[in-house]
Amino acid sequence: MALTSLNWNGNMAPPSCWASPEQHFEAAMAQPWYRLITHVNATLVNATFDFYRQQEIIPVLMPITVGSISSPMGIGSDSLPVEIELFGEPTFLADSMQFQLEFFLRHGIEGAFYIMPTFRGEDSDVTHLNQFFHSEAEIVGGFDDVIVLVENYLRSLTIALCATPLVDNISQVAGGITHLECLQSMSEFPRITFAESMKFLGDEYFIRSPEGIPLITRLGEKKLIDHFGVVWLTHFPRLIAPFYQAKSTNGLTVECADLLIGIGETVGCGERHTTGEDVRLGLEEHQVPVADYEWYVQMKNKYPLRTAGFGLGLERFLLWVLQHNDIRDLHVMPRLKNTRTWL
RNA sequence: UCCCCCAUAGCUCAGUCGGUAGAGCAGAUGGCUGUUAACCAUCGUGUCGGCGGUUCGAGUCCGUCUGGGGGAGCCA
């Protein structure tokens, strides 16, 4: 990218007018904030492709619609899928393309990735968007392999950002780049298991689900971030994690982790069930109908494979990069539920 | 989805005990000063977010819906 100078005069602050389409059109066109977003995004996408090319993890093309809910409803999740009507058929917009990535790994490749918009029906707020850009990858391997992959990926993203002329503008907005430099210098990120975090934080940072399972609160996550800066929260109790994560050998937790950084959970990763039978058990335990995931079970029955993967919310990562606190400021072309658009 | 708060002029907000609405800023017009502007004067009908109810009478009370903010949850 031939960026030699980003000499944007004036206020770098976000206009924060996404609720007003008329104002936002002007702001998105002219404000330095949105020009910075565009260039930072370009750097992140280029860096992502560069990173995976070195790892021989390949980009794959996938549809953004799915025929049945891919969002794991049931115990441990209330997430809302987005349903539309397409050619007269009820259809869901993908909330993640993890299962499709898992499919592609059966093509004899070591890893697959994509960056695409995915969709969520929850109300938007300072940390949630109804469409966000998802950077997901799935590899042949296990829990520790995907942790290393994510750490290397984030390191290479921050190195790429620091190597562009954008770094001065980022520094201006974020109030410095020590957070970027600090992450680059970490050989590995701190980890804390869910069980350890309960001892570390104390009961007041947890609530109980209707089934009596402890859930960490947002305040608890914030406390961990304040203490560690960047931290993996690992090995969640089986029933509060999605059904597709592989069980730990203790049978009580699953081989998954959330990366807490910036405003909270920014990466979710985990090792998947290897066999169809394990998937079937997971569905049963989470009280999710097996019929919705029949192909997924069949795939693992016929082509068992140990894989692991992760999903990164690009805008959430960008919040951390810019040290900002409202994710709705990060879309040049906003797509928020119940909010009109100018485009 | 749950809890709390909010919605009044272009903007920020006031409005007490229920008696048919006010201020500041912005704006418009005029005046004045040796003219990129300041100052002075004058100018306010706004479905009081929508619908329904109570009442002789509702911005005010009740119900409900919509939208916004905060918190919880869910998630990336």
Side-chain angles (χ1 to χ4, degrees):
Chain A
M1 192 164 32
L3 280 175
T4 53
S5 166
L6 295 175
N7 187 20
W8 302 317
N9 293 321
N11 191 359
M12 291 297 293
S16 294
C17 55
W18 33 262
S20 163
E22 294 78 10
Q23 280 181 48
H24 193 274
F25 169 68
E26 287 300 327
M29 185 62 83
Q31 292 287 310
W33 172 266
Y34 283 112
R35 296 186 177 206
L36 178 62
I37 300 287
T38 296
H39 284 95
V40 170
N41 281 337
T43 303
L44 293 176
V45 172
N46 278 329
T48 298
F49 276 76
D50 291 345
F51 172 75
Y52 286 126
R53 193 176 286 117
Q54 290 166 12
Q55 317 269 321
E56 298 190 5
I57 293 171
I58 66 170
V60 286
L61 301 181
M62 293 171 290
I64 60 164
T65 56
V66 286
S68 67
I69 307 170
S70 63
S71 171
M73 305 287 282
I75 294 177
S77 178
D78 289 329
S79 78
L80 288 171
V82 179
E83 186 174 1
I84 59 166
E85 192 187 298
L86 190 63
F87 308 128
E89 292 295 323
T91 304
F92 295 96
L93 296 172
D95 68 303
S96 158
M97 299 178 190
Q98 175 202 319
F99 296 158
Q100 295 90 317
L101 287 176
E102 288 187 55
F103 177 94
F104 277 110
L105 292 186
R106 270 78 184 175
H107 278 188
I109 58 184
E110 285 303 305
F113 80 97
Y114 76 88
I115 296 179
M116 297 254 279
T118 59
F119 304 82
R120 300 287 164 93
E122 295 96 307
D123 291 345
S124 61
D125 61 25
V126 291
T127 62
H128 295 83
L129 293 165
N130 296 292
Q131 288 188 34
F132 67 96
F133 288 93
H134 220 152
S135 176
E136 284 197 291
E138 194 76 18
I139 54 170
V140 176
F143 177 70
D144 288 314
D145 300 313
V146 75
I147 293 271
V148 169
L149 178 72
V150 172
E151 291 181 0
N152 286 338
Y153 176 48
L154 296 194
R155 213 174 281 122
S156 74
L157 290 183
T158 57
I159 289 169
L161 288 170
C162 288
T164 68
L166 293 167
V167 73
D168 293 333
N169 299 276
I170 292 169
S171 181
Q172 194 184 339
V173 169
I177 57 161
T178 52
H179 59 302
L180 301 181
E181 291 166 343
C182 184
L183 187 136
Q184 285 167 38
S185 70
M186 294 166 70
S187 58
E188 53 186 31
F189 303 171
R191 298 189 201 180
I192 186 170
T193 67
F194 191 86
E196 286 164 354
S197 78
M198 288 186 72
K199 285 183 198 149
F200 178 80
L201 293 170
D203 272 352
E204 65 266 38
Y205 294 99
F206 292 82
I207 58 160
R208 297 272 162 177
S209 76
E211 296 79 21
I213 304 155
L215 302 164
I216 190 165
T217 63
R218 187 181 291 198
L219 207 61
E221 287 188 351
K222 189 180 178 305
K223 194 95 175 167
L224 290 177
I225 293 167
D226 289 346
H227 186 264
F228 292 101
V230 179
V231 61
W232 285 110
L233 182 59
T234 74
H235 298 91
F236 287 79
R238 204 160 35 81
L239 282 181
I240 62 169
F243 74 84
Y244 48 75
Q245 307 286 34
K247 268 189 223 179
S248 311
T249 46
N250 63 19
L252 301 173
T253 62
V254 293
E255 296 293 296
C256 73
D258 287 350
L259 186 72
L260 308 181
I261 183 172
I263 49 90
E265 185 184 346
T266 298
V267 176
C269 76
E271 181 175 328
R272 324 304 185 188
H273 294 302
T274 299
T275 67
E277 189 48 34
D278 289 338
V279 175
R280 200 185 298 280
L281 278 172
L283 287 165
E284 208 170 281
E285 283 171 355
H286 287 77
Q287 296 171 24
V288 179
V290 179
D292 290 345
Y293 300 93
E294 195 52 46
W295 77 268
Y296 189 67
V297 175
Q298 287 303 316
M299 174 179 79
K300 300 213 171 190
N301 268 338
K302 290 182 185 167
Y303 308 95
L305 191 63
R306 183 171 180 240
T307 71
F310 77 90
L312 169 118
L314 218 57
E315 295 88 346
R316 287 191 175 179
F317 181 70
L318 200 47
L319 278 183
W320 172 76
V321 168
L322 299 177
Q323 296 285 291
H324 189 55
N325 54 18
D326 194 331
I327 203 166
R328 292 166 296 191
D329 288 322
L330 300 186
H331 273 178
V332 177
M333 298 168 189
R335 286 294 183 275
L336 298 169
K337 198 168 85 174
N338 302 323
T339 303
R340 283 181 300 130
T341 60
W342 51 262
L343 175 77

